[in-house]
Amino acid sequence: MRTLAGFLASLILLAVNLPAQSLYDTPVTDIDGKAGTLAPYKGRVLLIVNVASECGFTPQYEGLEALYAKYKSTGLTVLGVPCNQFGGQEPGTNEEIKEFCSMTFRVTFPMLAKTDVNGSKRHPLYALLAGRGSPFPGDIGWNFSKFLVGRDGKILKRFDSDVEPDSRTLTQAVEAALAAE
C-alpha cells in the first residue's frame, strides 16, 4: 500500500510540474478558486507578474494597474501571480490578497491563486515562462519579476523586479507587442 501511495504521489507531482503544450493550455486557478486555463487570453498581450503584498516592490501594483487601464482596450492583460517564496512576503490567503490588492491599490486586473514560481513545486505556468524550454530560462529572482507574452503566446521579454511598470523599457516593449500582428 505504501509503495502504491508513494508512486501515485510521485505521478501527481510529476504531472503538476510538466509544462503544458502551449501557454493557453496551462491549467490555472484564479484568486477566487475557479479552475481553468489561459485560453481566454488567446490573442491578447500578457504581462505576467509574480506579486507580493509585503515587499519593497509592492507599490508597483499601482503602476501595473495604470498600465492595464491604459492598454487593456488595445489588447493588454496584466496577470498577477501571488507567491510567498521570497522572504515570506505574501503570507495571506487568496481572499486576503484579493482584498489587499482591491482596497489598497484598486487592482482590477486578473489575479491567479497563490502559487510557487520556483523549485520542485513550480507551477506549470512558470515551468513554461522560466523553465529549460523558455527563451528566458532561470529561476525567478524575486517578487515582481515580469514576463511579456505576445498575442501568439510566445514569450517576448523578461524583466527583473526593479523594472517599473511605467518605465520606458517596459512600456515600449508592451506597445511593440500590441502593435505586432
Side-chain angles (χ1 to χ4, degrees), residues 50 57 60 141-146 159-164:
N50 65 299
F57 293 112
Q60 285 190 20
W142 200 252
N143 301 310
F144 290 87
S145 294
K146 303 159 193 71
F159 302 95
D160 288 334
S161 305
D162 61 349
V163 176
E164 295 282 338

Side-chain angles (χ1 to χ4, degrees), residues 18-176:
L18 284 176
Q21 289 182 344
S22 86
L23 183 83
Y24 303 114
D25 296 330
T26 304
V28 295
T29 302
D30 72 16
I31 200 148
D32 294 317
K34 183 180 175 197
T37 66
L38 294 179
Y41 303 110
K42 196 170 194 170
R44 295 190 62 82
V45 171
L46 294 172
L47 184 65
I48 303 171
V49 186
N50 65 299
V51 295
S53 301
E54 297 178 7
C55 176
F57 293 112
T58 300
Q60 285 190 20
Y61 269 123
E62 187 175 342
L64 292 168
E65 181 60 29
L67 191 70
Y68 177 60
K70 182 175 182 178
Y71 294 107
K72 70 180 173 182
S73 66
T74 57
L76 175 69
T77 297
V78 173
L79 189 60
V81 184
C83 178
N84 194 39
Q85 288 187 293
F86 305 103
Q89 295 179 348
E90 188 57 274
T93 65
N94 287 325
E95 286 178 359
E96 290 167 337
I97 295 165
K98 181 179 177 180
E99 182 178 346
F100 170 81
C101 291
S102 173
M103 299 301 288
T104 307
F105 293 102
R106 307 282 187 250
V107 167
T108 62
F109 55 81
M111 298 276 290
L112 297 183
K114 188 161 82 171
T115 192
D116 287 350
V117 299
N118 287 331
S120 64
K121 294 181 183 177
R122 173 184 265 178
H123 190 278
L125 174 60
Y126 276 85
L128 280 172
L129 294 173
R132 279 181 254 151
S134 168
F136 306 99
D139 278 349
I140 306 306
W142 200 252
N143 301 310
F144 290 87
S145 294
K146 303 159 193 71
F147 288 88
L148 183 64
V149 177
R151 294 180 191 272
D152 59 0
K154 291 187 178 152
I155 304 161
L156 303 174
K157 300 263 185 198
R158 180 175 178 167
F159 302 95
D160 288 334
S161 305
D162 61 349
V163 176
E164 295 282 338
D166 62 350
S167 72
R168 186 159 179 77
T169 303
L170 194 138
T171 55
Q172 283 181 336
V174 166
E175 288 171 356

Side-chain angles (χ1 to χ4, degrees), residues 5-21:
F7 176 73
L8 290 175
S10 296
L11 280 178
I12 291 169
L13 186 60
L14 180 62
V16 166
N17 286 302
L18 284 176
Q21 289 182 344

